[in-house]
Amino acid sequence: MKSYSIFEINDILKGTIIGTTSQNITATEELTRAKQSHISFIGNKKYEKLWETSAASVAVVNKDISIEPGKNRAFIQVDNADLAMSQVLELFASPMPEFAVDIHPTAVIDDSAKIGNGVKIGACCYVGPRTEIGDGTILYPNVTLLDDCIIGKQTTIWSGTVVRERSKIGHQCIIHPNATIGADGFGFRPCAERGLVKIPQIGDVVIGNQVEIGANACVDRGKFSSTIIGDGCKIDNLVQIGHNSELGMFCIMAGNSGLAGSVKLGNGVIIGGSASIKDHTTIGDRAVIGAGSGVTGDVAAGKTMLGYPALEARDTLKQWAIMKRLLNESKK
């Protein structure tokens, strides 16, 4: 079992210790479930009230904390408790699944594929013709990489993921289980003689560096050219990214959100859970789309949008307040 003193933890966090405790810390936990040997955190002042009834001996807190730790308890005060807690979680993280051999004998690797140094390939993986895998990349069991893919260095691809032909994934990416990269874009046109005619999707997918794509997410290939995901983007589980969409750098898309085809996101855009974006829409740098919203037109940089159809958040909130008041009055 891992165990650290408060001083060993603070050596990493470089914070300020308030209070004293002799308790060694063996795990992390949220305030309401913590035991005496646990470390927790208070990332927002509204959670300060939970500290009194928590059994945790140590909490990582922001500098604006307004409570005292109490007897034989301590705080580690830092500039950003959320970021500091990520370092603590790394201390207590379990090791990654192990490989008995670097390349499992049941993996099928085409003779023309290029495999870098230190690559690990799990059981029942498939690596297609002319595909290239960079140094230190890990493929967990049952990953499929089809023809002519390029995978960068130190990227991790988890089990069940399918990367279709000609897709490109950058360095230090994480692709979570059962993601699909490079499936056909959704393109059909009605025809009196033939019904719905499938439009060939002959483009590809280009994913930048340090991108994370969640479980069961889908990134469709372009109809022409590429669907592009910029460096540092973080894509949650069950997200749909339509053909020829382009994401700038450091965008965030929360679970169940989706982009239709040819959507363009600037840098640092945040898309809330279950939000949907109409095709051929442009969303400017650092815009925020609230959860459950439906965007039907372009959004200027820095705007926060909410509702369906999405309007500036303050306008939507005013509408909701008026509707609530009218409803209450109708009940009188």
Side-chain angles (χ1 to χ4, degrees), residues 9-280:
I9 293 173
N10 193 48
D11 282 345
I12 294 170
L13 301 187
K14 310 299 183 188
T16 301
I17 296 175
I18 300 174
T20 58
T21 181
S22 57
Q23 177 68 52
N24 268 21
I25 303 303
T26 61
T28 60
E29 189 52 274
E30 61 183 68
L31 287 168
T32 56
R33 296 183 178 183
K35 298 179 180 179
Q36 189 174 8
S37 62
H38 292 167
I39 182 171
S40 191
F41 81 111
I42 302 174
N44 189 299
K45 289 180 71 66
K46 68 181 180 181
Y47 299 117
E48 290 181 357
K49 60 187 178 183
L50 301 178
W51 177 247
E52 184 177 356
T53 56
S54 177
S57 293
V58 180
V60 179
V61 301
N62 291 318
K63 288 186 175 179
D64 63 353
I65 192 79
S66 60
I67 58 175
E68 296 296 325
K71 185 178 179 181
N72 197 29
R73 305 175 85 190
F75 293 151
I76 300 177
Q77 195 177 57
V78 295
D79 290 331
N80 188 313
D82 290 297
L83 290 177
M85 199 61 188
S86 69
Q87 296 176 273
V88 178
L89 289 168
E90 288 178 359
L91 282 177
F92 291 98
S94 299
M96 299 285 277
E98 296 181 359
F99 283 72
V101 293
D102 283 353
I103 298 180
H104 196 276
T106 62
V108 177
I109 302 172
D110 191 88
D111 291 341
S112 62
K114 296 181 180 179
I115 310 299
N117 296 323
V119 169
K120 296 183 179 182
I121 300 177
C124 299
C125 287
Y126 174 77
V127 180
R130 299 170 301 280
T131 283
E132 300 179 14
I133 302 176
D135 297 348
T137 283
I138 299 173
L139 308 184
Y140 282 98
N142 296 305
V143 167
T144 297
L145 307 180
L146 294 180
D147 308 22
D148 301 295
C149 291
I150 298 176
I151 312 297
K153 299 177 181 179
Q154 298 177 348
T155 282
T156 299
I157 303 181
W158 287 92
S159 297
T161 294
V162 175
V163 182
R164 285 273 305 269
E165 63 276 11
R166 294 180 284 106
S167 297
K168 301 173 182 65
I169 299 175
H171 307 307
Q172 298 175 332
C173 294
I174 302 173
I175 313 297
H176 287 280
N178 299 311
T180 300
I181 310 299
D184 286 358
F186 191 69
F188 300 89
R189 289 296 179 270
C191 172
E193 293 79 22
R194 298 163 56 196
L196 290 175
V197 176
K198 182 176 177 64
I199 306 300
Q201 308 289 301
I202 64 172
D204 61 9
V205 173
V206 177
I207 295 174
N209 301 322
Q210 297 179 330
V211 171
E212 188 159 347
I213 296 181
N216 295 292
C218 297
V219 183
D220 290 348
R221 68 193 313 107
K223 178 164 62 176
F224 340 95
S225 63
S226 304
T227 301
I228 298 172
I229 298 180
D231 293 349
C233 288
K234 309 301 179 185
I235 310 300
D236 199 0
N237 301 337
L238 297 166
V239 167
Q240 161 68 22
I241 297 177
H243 59 88
N244 290 106
S245 289
E246 298 182 16
L247 281 66
M249 297 187 296
F250 306 112
C251 295
I252 294 173
M253 293 186 64
N256 285 299
S257 61
L259 308 181
S262 300
V263 172
K264 290 182 170 55
L265 305 186
N267 297 326
V269 171
I270 298 174
I271 308 291
S274 298
S276 55
I277 316 298
K278 180 182 177 294
D279 60 289
H280 297 273

